Amino acid sequence: MDDNKGLIDQEIKVLDSGFVRLVDFMGSDDSIVEAARVSYGRGTKKRREDRGLIRYLMRHQHTTPFEMVEFKFHVKLPIFIARQWIRHRTANVNEYSGRYSVMEDDFYVPKPEDVKQQSTTNRQGREDSEVDPTVRESFLAFLSTSNRHLYDEYLKAIDSGVAREIARINLPLSLYTQWYWKVDLHNLFHFLKLRLDQHAQAEIREYAK
């Protein structure tokens, strides 16, 4: 796990303007096996080496020792993805504040090939069927123009003296936000299990990857 030191502060691009960046981590493989041996006793070291013990813990879902390792990430993501992500409540989050600061002019616009039809079997997802090209282009143009209009009106309100906390309320869910997300290894595994699943929304799957 010490190899993660080489990943610290590397910005991994996601979607059109997002990223994931590992800021810090605490613990290592040693932290996991030491915690496990408190439970399993002195003889564990003789029965299996560290790697074998970690695999045993994973295989039998003895997950508590994995909570001894933590990761802190800096993430830039669209608000609609943040609202899905925040449902993973077993983490610590500190988000960019639109009350203290002016929100950045940065919106997620999907690629044309990502605009699909509503799934007939999954009420909360899309399927692979292409949307009519005319409809697709009209939708993407609407996103771009409406995002620009709403952001311009937001800045106009701020310049007119409207408080930032109220001026922001009509900004769309496609707006990017940022946060620091600290999670232990056990709950990170749980996040990845759910958000790498093919039933998860495509955009949050990209962050999970």
Side-chain angles (χ1 to χ4, degrees):
M1 198 167 291
D2 288 341
D3 292 342
N4 288 320
K5 291 180 179 178
L7 294 175
I8 287 181
D9 287 332
Q10 287 189 24
E11 191 173 286
I12 300 173
K13 299 294 184 182
V14 187
L15 303 182
D16 50 359
S17 296
F19 61 75
V20 174
R21 183 168 65 89
L22 179 65
V23 176
D24 200 1
F25 70 94
M26 181 189 75
S28 65
D29 291 350
D30 290 341
S31 307
I32 299 170
V33 297
E34 287 169 4
R37 290 187 176 115
V38 168
S39 300
Y40 286 94
R42 294 173 61 86
T44 309
K45 180 69 174 179
K46 297 178 181 178
R47 291 198 302 271
R48 57 182 68 84
E49 295 299 322
D50 289 356
R51 180 174 295 183
L53 175 56
I54 290 174
R55 289 176 174 173
Y56 174 86
L57 295 171
M58 298 240 355
R59 186 165 59 249
H60 294 277
Q61 298 185 29
H62 298 310
T63 55
T64 303
F66 294 98
E67 295 175 10
M68 300 299 108
V69 176
E70 292 186 336
F71 296 91
K72 181 165 65 175
F73 297 96
H74 178 198
V75 186
K76 181 179 179 181
L77 68 172
I79 291 175
F80 72 94
I81 293 301
R83 297 304 164 254
Q84 295 179 28
W85 194 315
I86 203 67
R87 292 182 61 81
H88 297 269
R89 296 182 295 274
T90 48
N92 304 109
V93 179
N94 190 43
E95 186 174 0
Y96 184 93
S97 174
R99 297 182 68 193
Y100 290 103
S101 305
V102 176
M103 301 299 292
E104 294 183 3
D105 180 10
D106 211 349
F107 299 87
Y108 169 66
V109 177
K111 296 177 182 177
E113 60 267 26
D114 290 331
V115 181
K116 305 291 187 179
Q117 291 187 355
Q118 175 64 42
S119 173
T120 57
T121 58
N122 178 7
R123 291 186 179 182
Q124 61 180 4
R126 73 195 92 167
E127 57 186 23
D128 290 332
S129 300
E130 297 288 340
V131 173
D132 180 272
T134 303
V135 173
R136 181 183 62 206
E137 294 307 315
S138 176
F139 171 68
L140 292 173
F142 163 75
L143 289 182
S144 296
T145 57
S146 60
N147 288 345
R148 168 51 50 199
H149 173 71
L150 289 171
Y151 190 79
D152 287 346
E153 290 298 319
Y154 162 70
L155 291 182
K156 186 186 300 182
I158 291 175
D159 291 341
S160 299
V162 177
R164 290 184 295 272
E165 68 176 15
I166 196 71
R168 64 180 174 161
I169 66 174
N170 206 34
L171 290 171
L173 294 175
S174 58
L175 184 72
Y176 273 92
T177 185
Q178 297 186 39
W179 63 28
Y180 278 82
W181 188 64
K182 183 166 71 71
V183 64
D184 66 58
L185 184 56
H186 170 208
N187 286 292
L188 179 59
F189 284 155
H190 184 63
F191 172 86
L192 294 174
K193 178 181 179 181
L194 294 177
R195 298 308 180 176
L196 286 170
D197 187 271
Q198 63 178 352
H199 294 99
Q201 184 163 349
E203 285 79 6
I204 201 168
R205 287 206 310 267
E206 290 302 309
Y207 281 92
K209 289 177 185 177

